[in-house]
Amino acid sequence: MSYENILYEAGDGVARVTVNRPDKLNALNHQTLTELAAAFDAAAADSAVRVVLVTGAGEKAFVAGADIGELLEVAGQGDKAAELAAFGQSVFRRLDTLGKPSVAMVNGFALGGGCELALACTLRTAATSARMGLPEVGLGIIPGYGGSQRLARIAGPAVAREWILTGAMFGAEEAHRVGVINRVFPPEELEAGTLELVASMLDKAPLALRFGIEAVLRGWDMDQSEGEKLETEFFGKAAMTEDMREGMSAFLEKRKAVFKGC
Ligand code: COA
């Protein structure tokens, strides 16, 4: 597929997906969401891709939200609006089911749908200059691309209520403090710092990464004992991989493991 509103580059184990509408602060219109879905599918299908990096083009924004012009078109049409939300949710949900880690590199404004895109990634880094928030209530709506659910699960209901009900913008340090952002860097170090985080996953056993992602994701809504059953299941699956033998043998032989993803 050729893309108009995003850039997709894959190499050295990383698929980099850049939302590329800088003149509109990378706002997500329908076309951009469709292209993101295709890019996430391409990254999932490419066994050479081990980590997906999501970011925004330009100096100013990661993604400044859903395209407000398009949203206005569904005013007064509840079914159409609900359909739009379901579509955005389905696109972002692909990140949950990629089977590999995704990292949002938040280089500027991550508002509304942009904040929700970042929340859908497995991990998030941000420049100290980045601003995040869910300003939807100021437009007469609520987050519709999974944000109300993911933020509460990532940072807890108190933070989710504050972000959703005030519509305020929060700096990267505050987002880091409440657990929304994993690592913060000065703007000039964001790229290198994020690639270092990415690299720390590139040389790990791919199936172990997948099981780790799924154990946390599916365990979110379980009680401890139910979650432990799930953990046991993944532990057993990991033991059936060639990579388990390789990882442990490499440790004992004092060499670097070479994982095959099987
Ligand atoms: N949807 C559509 N267009 C958007 C957009 C969005 N979510 N966010 C920014 N843009 C457009 C602006 O309309 C403007 O386009 P124009 O040059 O054709 O007029 C361009 O991007 C630049 O934005 P501008 O508002 O001029 O930049 P700024 O530096 O003054 O303000 C923001 C930056 C992020 C504070 C401001 O753009 C903003 O509040 N955006 C909307 C955020 C939001 O509510 N998102 C949730 C949507 S559900």
Side-chain angles (χ1 to χ4, degrees), residues 111-155:
L111 303 173
C115 183
E116 294 175 289
L117 173 59
L119 290 168
C121 290
T122 320
L123 297 171
R124 285 155 291 285
T125 62
T128 45
S129 53
R131 312 269 293 154
M132 301 186 76
L134 294 168
E136 284 88 345
V137 287
L139 296 164
I141 53 172
I142 64 163
Y145 296 168
S148 62
Q149 305 308 301
R150 285 202 177 88
L151 184 56
R153 286 172 166 86
I154 290 169

Side-chain angles (χ1 to χ4, degrees), residues 23-25 27 60 64-68 71 109 111-112 135-136 139 169:
D23 54 326
K24 294 289 175 197
L25 302 189
K60 218 166 150 181
D67 190 302
I68 296 173
L71 284 182
F109 290 112
L111 303 173
E136 284 88 345
L139 296 164
M169 276 196 223

